[in-house]
Amino acid sequence: MAASPAALKTRGSTKYDAHGAEIKDALVADSEAVIAALNLSDDQLLLTYQRALEVRHFEEQCNRAFRAGKVGGYLHLYIGQEAVSLGVLEACKQGDQVLSSYRDHAHCLILGSDPNTVMAEIYGKSTGISRGKGGSMHLFDKANGFAGGYGIVGGNVPLAVGIGWALKYKNELKENKNICVCYLGDGSMNAGAFHEALNMAALYELPILYVLENNKYAMGTSVERHSANTDLSSRADSYNMKNSKVDGQDYFAVRKVAQEIIDEMRINPAPYFLEAVTYRYVGHGAADGAATQITYRDPSELEEWKKRDPINILGDALRKRGTLTDAKHDELDKSALEIARVAAEFAENSPVCAPEELTQDVYVD
């Protein structure tokens, strides 16, 4: 195993460019070394690539459905950030618990939720994973360890403290050595509950991996405009919490550090704060189109970041080692497109909630 999490702490207030020229403060990885260290088979690598394609096409289908007026309410897409969810969640095991923000589709899908029921939830149908009552921002799948997406910015961060405490101290849970993963966005960093929660997590030495998906913008406000200290991971120093940065566009870099952190956390429970430097290709929400995005970011910035597309970085590494061919890519891509199409068809053909269903699954008997 490479350096322990204790050796992964970074410093500086680096501003990252699209090509990673200044990702020197972030953890990077050699794909072949990671594959060898984690003993990843070709089948496992192709499954990861397939999952990345499935998430991308699922999100693109959601976007089309929103534009067609089939999805109401809010819709926050994950396009461009796929490596962050894949790299962390593939290091988890059964019994681990995951919390997300309102940009939650990918996390739910990667944990094993049925794309049909996830899509139906986004459509607000009664066959949805939350029975149509939660919508895009409030997916939930207890069976697969997804403890929910949350619409309040930073609202999930203190909830992770409760889950982490239960995993460490409840008699019926503590022997399993499970951990809690809490995804949050850079906009959460300035919420008061964020600081209260991190302080408690450190005090109680809870097994929580906080994953900051730093996609550079809190809605339409850049990190440089909303945070006096742009070295976001360093804020965890205030709570004596180990922390580091990672190139969030590179699956292998994320998987490497996440595996090391989680393995250590199962032996010596304590919280860790990981900042994944990534980028969202879409607006804050589906209603944030090109006309509004131009008010806070230059289109050329988006095009530069697309040159480091996480799916292409993963695919290029697999092609280089002979695991992925053009024919295999076409096969997996076609399959991913079909999964998204079938999910949309299922959602469209599903019924809306009947009046008598409105109070079901709301209160515990």
Side-chain angles (χ1 to χ4, degrees), residues 8-12 14-16 20-29 231 233 243-250 253-254 256-257 274-278 308:
L8 299 178
K9 187 175 288 187
T10 62
R11 284 291 179 271
T14 301
K15 185 175 180 180
Y16 304 96
E22 293 188 63
I23 300 188
K24 57 182 178 294
D25 277 1
L27 299 167
V28 295
D231 181 12
S233 60
N243 58 88
S244 59
K245 292 181 177 67
V246 66
D247 177 3
Q249 300 304 93
D250 185 348
V254 179
K256 173 181 181 289
V257 67
L274 178 64
E275 177 184 352
V277 182
T278 184
R308 298 197 71 246

Side-chain angles (χ1 to χ4, degrees), residues 220-286:
T221 306
S222 68
V223 171
E224 292 75 23
R225 292 181 63 206
H226 72 62
S227 290
N229 175 12
T230 58
D231 181 12
L232 299 183
S233 60
S234 73
R235 295 197 193 182
D237 287 338
S238 299
Y239 309 106
N240 197 29
M241 187 181 297
K242 294 176 182 177
N243 58 88
S244 59
K245 292 181 177 67
V246 66
D247 177 3
Q249 300 304 93
D250 185 348
Y251 163 80
F252 293 104
V254 179
R255 179 65 192 276
K256 173 181 181 289
V257 67
Q259 193 72 60
E260 291 172 356
I261 293 167
I262 291 172
D263 287 349
E264 174 66 20
M265 197 176 287
R266 296 197 200 282
I267 299 170
N268 300 302
Y272 196 100
F273 193 90
L274 178 64
E275 177 184 352
V277 182
T278 184
Y279 199 79
R280 64 165 205 247
Y281 292 176
V282 293
H284 165 67

Side-chain angles (χ1 to χ4, degrees), residues 31-304:
S31 59
E32 286 301 314
V34 175
I35 291 169
L38 299 181
N39 195 29
L40 300 176
S41 68
D42 284 347
D43 286 344
Q44 288 174 303
L45 293 169
L46 287 173
L47 177 59
T48 297
Y49 188 69
Q50 180 180 352
R51 285 172 163 175
L53 291 172
E54 289 175 1
V55 169
R56 178 67 61 87
H57 287 307
F58 186 94
E59 295 289 70
E60 290 172 344
Q61 178 60 47
C62 289
N63 194 32
R64 289 191 291 270
F66 183 91
R67 305 294 171 205
K70 297 176 181 179
V71 172
Y74 291 98
L75 181 73
H76 304 87
L77 302 175
Y78 199 73
I79 299 171
Q81 301 180 208
E82 293 88 353
V84 184
S85 51
L86 282 165
V88 174
L89 298 181
E90 289 190 349
C92 292
K93 71 174 186 178
Q94 187 174 6
D96 292 341
Q97 300 295 307
V98 180
L99 293 154
S100 181
S101 65
Y102 44 73
R103 205 177 302 277
D104 59 347
H105 308 165
H107 310 103
C108 195
L109 291 169
I110 291 168
L111 286 170
S113 298
D114 179 2
N116 290 356
T117 61
V118 174
M119 187 68 80
E121 186 62 38
I122 293 167
Y123 273 61
K125 298 299 186 69
S126 64
T127 55
I129 201 165
S130 298
R131 303 295 186 267
K133 298 180 176 69
S136 169
M137 298 191 293
H138 304 101
L139 305 176
F140 194 94
D141 189 350
K142 181 180 178 181
N144 284 300
F146 189 59
Y150 293 86
I152 302 300
V153 175
N156 59 330
V157 181
L159 296 179
V161 174
I163 292 176
W165 189 93
L167 293 174
K168 182 173 181 177
Y169 293 110
K170 288 194 74 171
N171 290 332
E172 63 269 34
L173 297 176
K174 63 183 182 181
E175 297 303 320
N176 297 326
K177 305 296 183 183
N178 285 120
I179 61 106
C180 175
V181 177
C182 181
Y183 282 93
L184 61 145
D186 51 277
S188 301
M189 301 287 288
N190 299 318
F194 166 87
H195 301 279
E196 296 167 349
L198 261 66
N199 185 58
M200 292 180 70
L203 276 173
Y204 298 137
E205 298 183 325
L206 303 179
I208 305 170
L209 172 55
Y210 289 103
V211 182
L212 168 61
E213 297 187 285
N214 181 2
N215 61 21
K216 314 305 291 173
Y217 293 95
M219 297 184 71
T221 306
S222 68
V223 171
E224 292 75 23
R225 292 181 63 206
H226 72 62
S227 290
N229 175 12
T230 58
D231 181 12
L232 299 183
S233 60
S234 73
R235 295 197 193 182
D237 287 338
S238 299
Y239 309 106
N240 197 29
M241 187 181 297
K242 294 176 182 177
N243 58 88
S244 59
K245 292 181 177 67
V246 66
D247 177 3
Q249 300 304 93
D250 185 348
Y251 163 80
F252 293 104
V254 179
R255 179 65 192 276
K256 173 181 181 289
V257 67
Q259 193 72 60
E260 291 172 356
I261 293 167
I262 291 172
D263 287 349
E264 174 66 20
M265 197 176 287
R266 296 197 200 282
I267 299 170
N268 300 302
Y272 196 100
F273 193 90
L274 178 64
E275 177 184 352
V277 182
T278 184
Y279 199 79
R280 64 165 205 247
Y281 292 176
V282 293
H284 165 67
D288 179 16
T292 50
Q293 290 178 53
I294 196 69
T295 64
Y296 63 84
R297 69 177 179 184
D298 193 292
S300 63
E301 179 182 286
L302 172 59
E303 293 309 310
E304 282 298 301

